[in-house]
Amino acid sequence: MASVSLQNTINTTPSPTSNPLTITDLLNDAIVLINPTVKPPFSSIRKLFDHLRSNPNDASALNNAYPKRGIFKSAAIKNGLSDQKFTIDLSPTRDSLIPESIRSTLAPHGMEDILAFFNNTVDTHVSSILSSLSKIAGADFSPSHSKLNMNFRLCDYNPMTADPTSTNGCGEHTDYGTFSIIFQDGTPGLEVEAPYAPGTWVQIPGDATVVLAGWCALILSGGRVCAVRHRVRRIPGVRRLSAVLFVAPDLEVKLKPLREVGDVVFSKEIMEGGIDVEWFKDVMGKRWRWREGNLELAKGEDERVVQDEEIKKLIFGC
Ligand SMILES: O=C(O)CCC(=O)C(=O)O
Ligand SMILES: [Fe+2]
């Protein structure tokens, strides 16, 4: 993505001196930093996580509103190998399934503020980001995003997990959808891989709000938009909160380039439009739920396969 405003405070691993590229070179085309008009209500986010952890009945009632996957995920309490974080996964659909009685129980614990924040962010930012992506792609993204397929995620990188010493907050991955907006509470930890220097991780300042693109944007744009790998490193003993808005194409959209392909070679399946967003989300979802500790793989499924490698095979055919 274009026009990245990067400060000198961004550090890379390995250190910038060992790399001939400047920081701007490293992340240009990868992310955009925005100055959001609406700030996340981090005190409400903290309150809601604390409430759900100390009131298991309310947590179960919330999860029963969406029994397919649950809403409050706390596998990291028991699993020291998964991502060491708790999450609350909301969406407009999930929101509409939460019974009034649970909503009013959770309202004083931050829920209403949080939903209002996400709805406000959608109204303020989504269509302008879709227009920017359309410009970069040279193709209109709005028809494939007419229903606004979105998810709202809250993350709590809490020191009180099964492995308090682990630095793994969120393993490296690329989001499946079109773009994600990541809001942070001021605590660093988010790192982005430089697209033209694989293996070089750039630390994003903790107060930055970042827009990064996912696999669907790369495919729809014919390779003109980068899908950006990122991860979160935990600082042991330090709590970090984030709020993420994920935007993806409508579920029935065929995932193929909207115009002729740029410098990228896509698999036959992609070029023929054999994969739709719903199927792709399902395949991706299985891997990320495993990484997050919320899914056991079936016997014979290879736990060592890295999510991004599997997905690259599907998209690029090798
Ligand atoms: O917490 C963050 O800063 C990023 C989380 C993330 O990348 C994700 O949940 O996909
Ligand atoms: Fe992500």
Side-chain angles (χ1 to χ4, degrees), residues 170 173 175 182 230 246:
C170 177
H173 67 282
D175 294 342
I182 303 175
H230 52 286
F246 298 100

Side-chain angles (χ1 to χ4, degrees), residues 1 174-180 212-219 225-228 247 280:
M1 291 167 76
T174 305
D175 294 342
Y176 96 94
T178 307
F179 68 86
S180 313
L212 43 80
W215 288 123
C216 291
L218 179 139
I219 299 169
V225 173
C226 290
V228 183
V247 177
F280 187 61

